[in-house]
Amino acid sequence: MHLVSRFRVDLLLFMVAAAWGSTYLVAKELVTPSSVVALLALRMLLAATIMGAIVAARRRPVTAAELQVGVFLGGLLAGVFVFETFGIAHTSATNAGLIISLTIVFTPILDSFVSGRRLPVTFLVAATIAVVGVALLAGNGALRPPNLGDLLILGAAVVRAVHVTWMPKLTADRPMDTLHLTTVQLATCAALFSAGSVVHGDSIPQYVAQLDFGRVTLFLYLVLVCTVFAFFVQIWAVGRTSPSRVSLLLGSEPIWAAVIGITVANDSLTPAGYCGIGLILAGTAWGRSVERNHRLLAGSLPAPSRSDKDAHARGRTEAVPFVEG
């Protein structure tokens, strides 16, 4: 790949990771415990409408398999958003962005239980380092249990691991359009949250009435940049770089979350908290590397040098992770 083209791909992927890292602070500015469901309903309705319009413009019908799998995965994704957004309302942006990164170590552990494939000892060491880091960050230097928000974010990481584990298993033998699958998931979330907003907390009209110009701007950023833009950058990057490079660049999300939380939100941390951040980043990065190398040796992943374009053409959705945040 030409140097300028590679730089453009890397820059856009870094922008996506930075946008994902900022979502925790943005969501914290937009949400209260009583408005979580209404915010999620409004966000998913707008995102699903935009994605649905693009699907309609392509004039390629959504298949029955895409609808069935998308609804199931959409239900799991709704669980991720519920745990994550309620958690953000009760903890700091820094804690949320870093604890959710434990998905990176939870996913291989869950997959090993499902597939029966044993993980190397080095991965378990990396996972332990990351978990110790979470304990230090949550306690921030004190011997106390995690607060409610931290536990909810931890729950979001577990449910996200379930979502990530099931996606390739449900799509491996059936070619599926990634755009269709994502749109169905967003539409499922929109339907669930819209129904939920009727019975819990603020209604959508009540939430909209509370938004001023600044919050409207943040909300549009959350939908257009962190959801729609991020998705299409991933699709565009698929044919222009390797799966491992996409994963590496997007894996910088927790670093951005920590930087934004500390510098912009002024989250206060003790030296033990900073030590926890370091352990989380080191443990998750090491775990990602160990797990990927293990699967490469086992022959369950394509070689890193293979273009993702061929994988996408075969309908493999695992090459393009679902929009985060």
Side-chain angles (χ1 to χ4, degrees):
M1 180 188 293
H2 191 274
L3 184 61
V4 175
S5 298
R6 172 168 289 182
F7 174 77
R8 186 183 300 117
V9 173
D10 289 355
L11 178 61
L12 285 171
L13 288 171
F14 264 124
M15 288 173 63
V16 170
W20 285 350
S22 70
T23 57
Y24 306 99
L25 177 58
V26 172
K28 193 165 183 64
E29 292 294 316
L30 289 170
V31 75
T32 62
S34 65
S35 64
V36 167
V37 181
L39 167 64
L40 289 173
L42 196 59
R43 177 185 177 185
M44 294 300 115
L45 282 169
L46 182 55
T49 300
I50 294 171
M51 300 291 278
I54 296 170
V55 169
R58 295 171 74 207
R59 298 183 178 179
R60 291 176 55 185
V62 176
T63 66
E66 290 166 347
L67 184 62
Q68 180 182 15
V69 172
V71 169
F72 175 76
L73 292 175
L76 289 176
L77 189 64
V80 174
F81 280 121
V82 166
F83 277 108
E84 188 175 79
T85 312
F86 272 108
I88 288 170
H90 292 90
T91 192
S92 69
T94 301
N95 282 28
L98 288 162
I99 294 173
I100 196 68
S101 70
L102 288 180
T103 300
I104 295 169
V105 295
F106 288 161
T107 302
I109 292 172
L110 178 61
D111 185 62
S112 71
F113 280 113
V114 174
S115 65
R117 186 179 67 250
R118 297 183 63 180
L119 290 167
V121 174
T122 47
F123 177 85
L124 299 178
V125 174
T128 301
I129 289 173
V131 171
V132 170
V134 168
L136 285 174
L137 179 65
N140 204 15
L143 293 175
R144 60 172 180 260
N147 63 32
L148 174 61
D150 293 337
L151 291 175
L152 289 171
I153 298 294
L154 196 62
V158 173
V159 180
R160 185 184 283 186
V162 175
H163 180 272
V164 173
T165 300
W166 274 101
M167 180 177 286
K169 296 185 183 302
L170 293 173
T171 60
D173 300 325
R174 295 179 287 183
M176 293 190 186
D177 188 299
T178 311
L179 177 60
H180 290 176
L181 199 59
T182 302
T183 303
V184 173
Q185 289 184 74
L186 291 174
T188 301
C189 289
L192 291 173
F193 294 139
S194 295
S197 68
V198 175
V199 298
H200 177 82
D202 297 338
S203 66
I204 295 176
Q206 287 175 327
Y207 181 72
V208 171
Q210 299 170 13
L211 296 178
D212 55 20
F213 176 78
R215 290 188 176 183
V216 168
T217 302
L218 289 176
F219 174 76
L220 292 177
Y221 169 81
L222 194 63
V223 174
L224 299 178
V225 177
C226 301
T227 306
V228 178
F229 167 77
F231 172 78
F232 283 105
V233 166
Q234 291 173 84
I235 289 289
W236 176 80
V238 158
R240 293 169 174 81
T241 190
S242 67
S244 58
R245 194 169 184 86
V246 172
S247 178
L248 176 66
L249 294 171
L250 294 181
S252 64
E253 175 196 351
I255 299 175
W256 289 106
V259 169
I260 292 170
I262 293 169
T263 60
V264 179
N266 295 317
D267 290 338
S268 177
L269 291 175
T270 65
Y274 283 105
C275 182
I277 289 176
L279 290 177
I280 293 170
L281 296 177
T284 53
W286 186 22
R288 181 197 296 267
S289 175
V290 168
E291 190 271 340
R292 184 170 183 83
N293 289 336
H294 178 65
R295 284 205 285 164
L296 282 170
L297 290 174
S300 60
L301 277 181
S305 59
R306 180 182 296 177
S307 171
D308 234 359
K309 181 184 289 185
D310 295 335
H312 183 56
R314 293 195 302 272
R316 294 172 65 94
T317 57
E318 62 189 6
V320 185
F322 179 77
V323 179
E324 304 277 339

